[in-house]
């Protein structure tokens, strides 16, 4: 049996448009409070430097976010979000580094695309801003629709499902319908199960176990598991203490390898080099041969 083809969205720049393996998306949070890299890259020049380094290390796309989505996080004003992300989007784009904008706001998405971003990644899947779908339709760029149920200050209360996989797929389909009715091209859409967003640990594991069902929806899929809490808890020590955030990269690599071998379009990760190795191994495994 040969593995199914890797679906990717239309409208990607070269070389992303022709990759024969899963894309590696490097996380770049220009925030004081993201759970893993919060506060590290708040200054635009440091953020641009880090983005260039991740690109050199093998990131195919750099995902820039200016608003933390860690559980419990409060929203930031739109002016603040714009001030954080735009210099970094522009700085990296000017260096020829492909960039996606991680935002729930249509105005930020539009400004970031004007500054050079080539993908819009909306963790709310269009729910947080009623103008997101029409904006993305006009921008004509690939659009990541992540499964989401509510803002971070209340998402822990929303982690109730009958069958998490069925429920997530149904809610993603509703988002897709909304996007299509607003004029977003079907080929531009990427789906993301939203690991850790209104999900208990076992919800995440079920979504990963049944990733093939999500892939069968017929859209490219992006998986963002990097260093998340459920990886810390699966690797808890004998006293039940979760593995700290900075020691979850091997677990992230394992998710990358399995997801890439199943045929996802992209993995969104903090440690680019390790995941790049993992996707190369997965690609050789899928091909049954060495050459890229
Ligand atoms: N996770 C985070 C932020 N943005 N975007 C997508 N598409 N999928 C994710 O899983 C996702 C995301 C939260 O993690 P971070 O603090 O490492 O950015």
């Amino acid at each position: 049996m040969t593995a199914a083809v890797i679906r990717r969205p239309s409208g990607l720049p070269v070389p992303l448009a022709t990759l024969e393996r899963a894309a590696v998306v490097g996380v770049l949070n220009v925030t004081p409070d993201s759970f893993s890299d919060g506060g590290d890259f708040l200054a635009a020049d440091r953020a641009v430097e880090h983005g260039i380094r991740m690109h050199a290390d093998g990131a195919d796309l750099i995902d820039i976010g200016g608003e933390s989505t860690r559980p419990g996080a409060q929203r930031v004003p739109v002016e603040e979000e714009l001030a954080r992300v735009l210099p970094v989007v522009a700085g990296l784009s000017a260096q020829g580094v492909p960039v996606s904008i991680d935002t729930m706001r249509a105005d930020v998405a539009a400004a970031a695309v004007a500054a050079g971003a080539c993908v819009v990644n909306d963790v709310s899947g269009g729910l947080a801003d009623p103008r997101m779908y029409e904006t993305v339709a006009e921008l004509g760029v690939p659009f990541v629709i992540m499964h989401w149920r509510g803002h971070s200050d209340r998402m822990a209360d929303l982690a109730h499902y009958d069958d998490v996989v069925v429920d997530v797929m149904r809610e993603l389909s509703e988002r897709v319908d909304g996007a299509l009715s607003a004029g977003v091209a079907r080929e531009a859409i990427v789906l993301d199960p939203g690991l850790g967003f209104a999900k208990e640990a076992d919800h995440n594991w079920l979504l990963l176990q049944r990733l093939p069902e999500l892939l069968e929806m017929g859209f490219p899929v992006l998986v963002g598991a990097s260093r998340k809490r459920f990886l810390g808890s699966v690797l808890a020590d004998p006293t039940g203490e979760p593995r700290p955030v900075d020691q979850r990269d091997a677990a992230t690599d394992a998710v990358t390898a399995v997801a890439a071998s199943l045929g996802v379009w992209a993995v969104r990760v903090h440690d680019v080099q390790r995941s790049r190795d993992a996707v190369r191994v997965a690609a050789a495994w899928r091909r049954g041969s060495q050459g890229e």
Side-chain angles (χ1 to χ4, degrees):
M1 193 183 92
T2 48
V5 291
I6 298 176
R7 288 199 172 80
R8 64 173 88 89
S10 63
L12 288 168
V14 182
L16 270 162
T18 53
L19 278 189
E20 295 293 340
R21 54 165 172 77
V24 175
V25 178
V27 177
L28 182 48
N29 288 313
V30 194
T31 61
D33 55 343
S34 289
F35 81 95
S36 175
D37 60 349
D40 290 350
F41 309 113
L42 201 48
D45 51 349
R46 289 202 58 203
V48 170
E49 230 172 74
H50 183 58
I52 290 172
R53 196 173 329 116
M54 283 197 289
H55 187 238
D57 284 347
D60 302 294
L61 185 68
I62 305 295
D63 189 39
I64 300 172
E67 181 171 44
S68 171
T69 50
R70 69 182 296 159
Q74 301 290 319
R75 307 248 22 217
V76 297
V78 61
E79 301 74 24
E80 175 71 26
E81 189 183 349
L82 284 166
R84 288 178 184 177
V85 297
L86 288 184
V88 185
V89 172
L92 283 175
S93 302
Q95 302 279 331
V97 177
V99 161
S100 64
I101 179 69
D102 184 348
T103 187
M104 294 182 260
R105 289 184 167 118
D107 287 346
V108 176
V113 170
C118 60
V119 173
V120 172
N121 171 28
D122 180 355
V123 297
S124 83
L127 280 184
D129 186 334
R131 288 189 299 111
M132 184 58 95
Y133 295 146
E134 65 197 50
T135 302
V136 170
E138 270 166 35
L139 295 170
V141 293
F143 180 42
V144 180
I145 294 181
M146 198 194 81
H147 178 263
W148 182 91
R149 283 185 161 181
H151 287 288
S152 301
D153 55 352
R154 60 186 201 99
M155 70 181 172
D157 301 331
L158 302 170
H160 301 288
Y161 301 90
D162 291 328
D163 174 324
V164 65
V165 180
V166 171
D167 294 353
V168 164
M169 291 200 306
R170 187 188 56 252
E171 290 168 34
L172 284 173
S173 292
E174 289 164 10
R175 302 295 95 76
V176 167
D177 290 345
L180 295 177
S181 338
V184 175
R186 174 173 284 275
E187 303 71 41
I189 293 175
V190 175
L191 298 182
D192 180 334
L195 301 176
F197 287 80
K199 316 277 182 329
E200 305 282 357
D202 283 350
H203 295 139
N204 298 314
W205 291 117
L206 281 165
L207 285 161
L208 288 172
Q209 181 200 41
R210 291 165 61 189
L211 203 52
E213 292 175 46
L214 186 62
L215 286 158
E216 277 164 20
M217 289 177 72
F219 292 90
V221 169
L222 183 150
V223 168
S226 189
R227 297 181 184 165
K228 283 185 178 169
R229 191 183 293 186
F230 72 106
L231 298 181
S233 57
V234 81
L235 299 178
D237 71 16
T239 71
E241 193 59 35
R243 184 70 66 83
V245 173
D246 62 355
Q247 293 169 38
R248 298 178 188 166
D249 283 331
T252 304
D253 305 340
V255 175
T256 292
V258 178
S261 74
L262 289 171
V264 301
W265 166 59
V267 289
R268 180 183 179 279
V269 295
H270 299 88
D271 191 312
V272 161
Q273 252 174 346
R274 301 175 59 125
S275 272
R276 176 64 179 253
D277 286 356
V279 299
R280 290 177 70 186
V281 170
W285 189 305
R286 283 170 58 85
R287 273 192 312 269
S289 80
Q290 189 92 318
E292 293 223 3

